[in-house]
Amino acid sequence: MRLKDLQNRFSDYIADLKLQNSGDDEFNGQFVNDAIPIETRLNIYQDGVYSTCVSVLMNNHPLLKDLVGDDFLRYMAIEFAKNNLPTSGYLNEYGLNFPDFIYKFKPAAGLPYLYDIARIDRGWNHAYHADDVPHLDPQSLHDVSPADYAFLKMTMHPSVTFVKSDYPIWQIYQYILKNRGGDDTQLRSEITPNAAKDPDALPEKAEEQDNTSDIPPPDMNTGGENVVILRDNLMVKVYPLDEDNFQFLVNLRDKKTIGEASGKVMAKFPAFNLAKTFRGELKRNIFSGFQLSK
Amino acid sequence: MSELSQNIKTQSHPAGLDRPAGNGQKNFDKTHPILSSGIGLRAEHYKDFIDTKPSVGWIEVHPENYFGGGLHRHYLNEARKDYPLSLHAVGLSLGSTDPVDEKHLQKFKELIDIYEPFNVSDHASWSVSGNAHLNDLLPLPYTQETLDTLCRNIDQTQDFFGRKILVENPSTYIAFAENAMTEYELMNALHDKTGCGILLDINNIYVQSVNHKFDAWHYIDNITVDAVGEMHLAGHTEKDINGERFLIDTHNQFVRGDVWGLYEHAVRRFGAVPTCIEWDLDLPSLNDLMGEADKAQSIVNEHTDQNLKVYNAA
Ligand SMILES: [Fe+2]
């Protein structure tokens, strides 16, 4: 068999959890057959690939883990991996669509805010690994003439993610941190193929799990909240954003000028304080640059 | 606007970022190790390692964990100031019939330019087939076609980096009926045809010798002496499958006695070659990890002239 065909067949075999006996005579004939069945040997690779995926997802979603527990998160991760093997060698990017999967995942339907918490986890991970781009030095704005401020377009630091929710996600986030006992560890472990042969993560251990979280979440009737996640120098930070501030920043992110963005926000929120808001955002290091656009 | 930015102090650039100096200037003093023993430096040990600066010859990391910025790069910068570095990749998929991904090479090269590693390596295995990136080190049949494929991808990588790399023998759990050569013949041929060095993983040889029933000592006796630019040691897990002893390369425990014996044999043949303790899962204390490195060092001290052999990357 040509190497290309062999690798295709091997890769199909590993991807297809449901057809573990899919090796036909031609495929099986490629391997030495001895006391240990070919299927057993191939399944070691299949387990390795899936357990890497599950380990990455578990590692990247500590907030979800705290909310729903290890077993339920593992169950969601395995169900996700079954139809979503990696398409890039950059493992930190694996699971970008895991929140979307959770959104539609029936066993999690009773916890509709999981989707948004999963997006905070993703945003945290994104910020953690974002490129080292210098923050905007506020002094550099001194060279801009006051008459031109309205024409500034701001560049968001590459670490920035916004999460808008119909649920009180900032309160939920703080609740999770409180339950951790103030443990705000910043360091995230690495996952490599060699580090992922964790027997507990193997797909055959997947059984349907009840969600048995005993953490009572905050009052869900307090309305939606928004957060922004970014990396301020070396530290990942999560901040709540009021709706006016949120809309202002999202408009800036979408390349509206300060004049356009604040105009839009003030039409809906007449009390919006541009100077105070902008000063606050500069201080949090959310920007990495600006352009004068006129 | 000056009113807006009043009272806001100038923020410094992200801490500790060393950029390539250009003009052939070195970013770091310590290019090559003096002691043979190194450790795989993992995130959980960063702080402890930098605070205590243990007596170890060098460090090794997976470049794929440093493609972005932030804390990982910060700690690598700190560690690199005091230790020579080896970059050991897991993502090039040198054994795939497709060429090596240029974006992956570009990210990798950026790290080589910044950190000036004395060794750069990946495995004689594959993980990419079409759109699938199966994050594992998958096995290859040892045929002429595989040899040609590996050589083409190694050449591509070495041309891209402008230097020689090392290629590691993998652990495998299945053997191919079609094999036209042994693994050591394949590894020697890669060296002969591309000028790459061999990263000889002693534990991987041992694991395979049990899984595929061959003589590990014979394997070592047949590897080209001058080709070996680095060795690896790691722990494995022993299983019983249908009454057969079967080993998995788990990197989650101390190096086993048989593997130490095989390492001593390798050291007698290859001399004082940089040797890394790989420990990736269920990490021990840094102290215990250092104990493993010390053990490897004492074997080198006992059986060699201690003249460290470093593979010529030029
Ligand atoms: Fe290795």
Side-chain angles (χ1 to χ4, degrees):
Chain A
M1 196 182 273
R2 293 299 303 264
L3 188 57
K4 194 175 181 56
D5 298 328
L6 180 65
Q7 290 178 341
N8 280 336
R9 292 293 309 271
F10 202 106
S11 151
D12 288 347
Y13 183 98
I14 284 177
D16 197 350
L17 269 181
K18 284 169 205 126
L19 290 178
Q20 287 205 5
N21 304 308
S22 66
D24 58 20
D25 286 349
E26 194 201 8
F27 184 61
N28 286 339
Q30 303 299 309
F31 306 105
V32 172
N33 198 1
D34 59 14
I36 299 173
I38 288 168
E39 194 188 311
T40 306
R41 291 175 178 272
L42 286 172
N43 288 351
I44 291 169
Y45 288 105
Q46 192 176 48
D47 290 348
V49 167
Y50 278 94
S51 63
T52 302
C53 295
V54 171
S55 300
V56 169
L57 294 172
M58 307 254 324
N59 194 48
N60 285 350
H61 288 281
L63 295 174
L64 282 185
K65 197 190 280 189
D66 284 359
L67 264 186
V68 303
D70 267 22
D71 290 346
F72 192 70
L73 178 57
R74 191 187 307 280
Y75 168 48
M76 290 198 292
I78 291 168
E79 291 304 311
F80 172 79
K82 281 179 185 171
N83 294 306
N84 295 275
L85 283 177
T87 52
S88 131
Y90 189 28
L91 273 180
N92 291 322
E93 279 173 3
Y94 178 63
L96 288 179
N97 53 339
F98 187 50
D100 294 336
F101 169 85
I102 291 173
Y103 185 75
K104 294 184 208 140
F105 190 59
K106 290 231 171 66
L111 304 171
Y113 49 84
L114 283 192
Y115 165 64
D116 299 316
I117 299 298
R119 289 193 294 148
I120 299 179
D121 273 330
R122 257 325 321 170
W124 202 100
N125 192 61
H126 172 79
Y128 184 78
H129 291 287
D131 285 344
D132 287 320
V133 171
H135 300 297
L136 174 64
D137 176 358
Q139 302 286 336
S140 60
L141 288 166
H142 285 195
D143 300 337
V144 179
S145 141
D148 288 338
Y149 295 162
F151 300 102
L152 288 178
K153 285 186 176 177
M154 307 306 295
T155 307
M156 293 287 160
H157 191 264
S159 64
V160 172
T161 301
F162 297 100
V163 177
K164 180 175 180 54
S165 176
D166 295 334
Y167 301 93
I169 52 169
W170 172 247
Q171 292 177 59
I172 297 172
Y173 174 74
Q174 289 200 299
Y175 190 80
I176 294 170
L177 291 196
K178 220 187 289 162
N179 272 271
R180 271 184 202 167
D183 177 21
D184 180 28
T185 176
Q186 284 274 329
L187 203 58
R188 194 111 349 146
S189 4
E190 311 130 281
I191 298 287
T192 66
N194 283 335
K197 290 193 171 60
D198 170 6
D200 293 336
L202 300 188
E204 57 260 35
K205 305 231 166 152
E207 281 163 26
E208 192 144 339
Q209 298 280 347
D210 281 336
N211 165 49
T212 51
S213 165
D214 48 21
I215 304 176
D219 183 358
M220 289 300 137
N221 297 318
T222 51
E225 289 175 338
N226 313 311
V227 302
V228 61
I229 305 129
L230 57 92
R231 197 175 74 226
D232 179 353
N233 291 299
L234 290 173
M235 302 295 277
V236 178
K237 306 254 176 87
V238 183
Y239 297 107
L241 286 179
D242 288 341
E243 187 62 26
D244 52 354
N245 194 354
F246 174 83
Q247 291 192 14
F248 175 63
L249 289 172
V250 167
N251 274 295
L252 290 185
R253 178 198 64 189
D254 295 343
K255 288 292 156 206
K256 299 281 185 293
T257 62
I258 287 184
E260 290 162 347
S262 60
K264 283 188 166 208
V265 173
M266 271 185 241
K268 281 192 249 170
F269 303 90
F272 177 67
N273 184 334
L274 172 60
K276 183 164 168 269
T277 301
F278 192 74
R279 192 163 55 224
E281 295 308 331
L282 279 170
K283 209 173 194 167
R284 319 204 231 241
N285 277 331
I286 200 170
F287 305 118
S288 61
F290 65 86
Q291 263 177 289
L292 195 54
S293 117
K294 54 181 266 193
Chain B
M1 190 61 60
S2 55
E3 182 217 312
L4 283 181
S5 50
Q6 247 171 20
N7 303 325
I8 296 174
K9 285 203 193 99
T10 308
Q11 296 290 319
S12 61
H13 286 188
L17 291 181
D18 298 275
R19 290 296 174 196
N23 304 328
Q25 225 180 310
K26 292 268 171 230
N27 297 323
F28 298 97
D29 300 335
K30 296 182 174 151
T31 52
H32 289 77
I34 298 163
L35 286 172
S36 64
S37 288
I39 57 163
L41 181 61
R42 301 292 169 254
E44 286 82 346
H45 289 145
Y46 284 153
K47 235 191 140 302
D48 211 4
F49 187 80
I50 285 155
D51 289 348
T52 62
K53 296 201 171 51
S55 159
V56 67
W58 52 283
I59 53 171
E60 182 163 279
V61 299
H62 299 303
E64 286 82 359
N65 290 315
Y66 299 85
F67 281 179
L71 267 187
H72 285 207
R73 283 232 190 156
H74 167 74
Y75 280 117
L76 184 58
N77 277 313
E78 290 302 304
R80 179 67 184 90
K81 286 176 188 163
D82 296 300
Y83 296 88
L85 173 73
S86 161
L87 288 178
H88 179 50
V90 291
L92 292 179
S93 194
L94 294 171
S96 282
T97 52
D98 297 331
V100 183
D101 178 16
E102 295 256 339
K103 265 192 282 176
H104 200 105
L105 286 174
Q106 187 52 52
K107 289 254 185 201
F108 197 163
K109 181 156 192 314
E110 187 193 319
L111 292 173
I112 294 173
D113 290 343
I114 295 172
Y115 293 107
E116 299 165 344
F118 68 95
N119 276 345
V120 168
S121 57
D122 204 323
H123 302 77
S125 64
W126 66 281
S127 52
V128 181
S129 169
N131 285 329
H133 287 246
L134 304 166
N135 297 285
D136 205 342
L137 305 170
L138 300 174
L140 290 161
Y142 296 146
T143 60
Q144 186 63 41
E145 188 188 9
T146 293
L147 177 60
D148 293 343
T149 302
L150 280 167
C151 285
R152 187 202 65 203
N153 289 340
I154 292 167
D155 284 339
Q156 181 197 352
T157 303
Q158 296 186 144
D159 288 349
F160 197 97
F161 292 165
R163 62 174 288 160
K164 299 293 183 221
I165 64 168
L166 306 180
V167 178
E168 176 177 351
N169 57 300
S171 269
T172 65
Y173 309 109
I174 196 161
F176 290 87
E178 220 197 321
N179 281 355
M181 61 191 100
T182 62
E183 188 176 279
Y184 61 76
E185 286 168 336
L186 177 95
M187 299 305 294
N188 288 339
L190 295 177
H191 167 67
D192 292 342
K193 287 179 193 300
T194 69
C196 75
I198 296 175
L199 196 176
L200 201 61
D201 188 313
I202 303 301
N203 181 58
N204 287 352
I205 297 174
Y206 184 77
V207 162
Q208 295 203 90
S209 75
V210 172
N211 293 350
H212 308 314
K213 299 189 171 58
F214 64 71
D215 180 350
W217 291 48
H218 175 79
Y219 183 121
I220 283 174
D221 290 341
N222 281 281
I223 287 283
T224 306
V225 171
D226 291 340
V228 179
E230 183 176 326
M231 292 196 265
H232 274 177
L233 290 167
H236 61 253
T237 298
E238 196 160 327
K239 283 189 160 194
D240 182 304
I241 301 180
N242 299 348
E244 299 273 321
R245 184 167 165 246
F246 198 84
L247 306 185
I248 314 263
D249 177 37
T250 41
H251 295 196
N252 67 342
Q253 52 189 285
F254 290 100
V255 178
R256 298 218 182 200
D258 289 351
V259 176
W260 283 119
L262 196 59
Y263 179 61
E264 184 181 317
H265 183 66
V267 164
R268 285 172 189 269
R269 177 169 172 83
F270 304 116
V273 172
T275 301
C276 177
I277 309 291
E278 293 187 292
W279 198 319
D280 291 298
L281 191 68
D282 306 331
L283 293 180
S285 68
L286 182 59
N287 215 28
D288 281 354
L289 187 59
M290 288 302 304
E292 294 285 89
D294 290 346
K295 206 165 161 180
Q297 189 66 51
S298 65
I299 290 172
V300 166
N301 293 351
E302 191 178 338
H303 297 285
T304 73
D305 57 9
Q306 298 176 46
N307 255 333
L308 197 61
K309 294 165 67 181
V310 179
Y311 199 75
N312 182 9

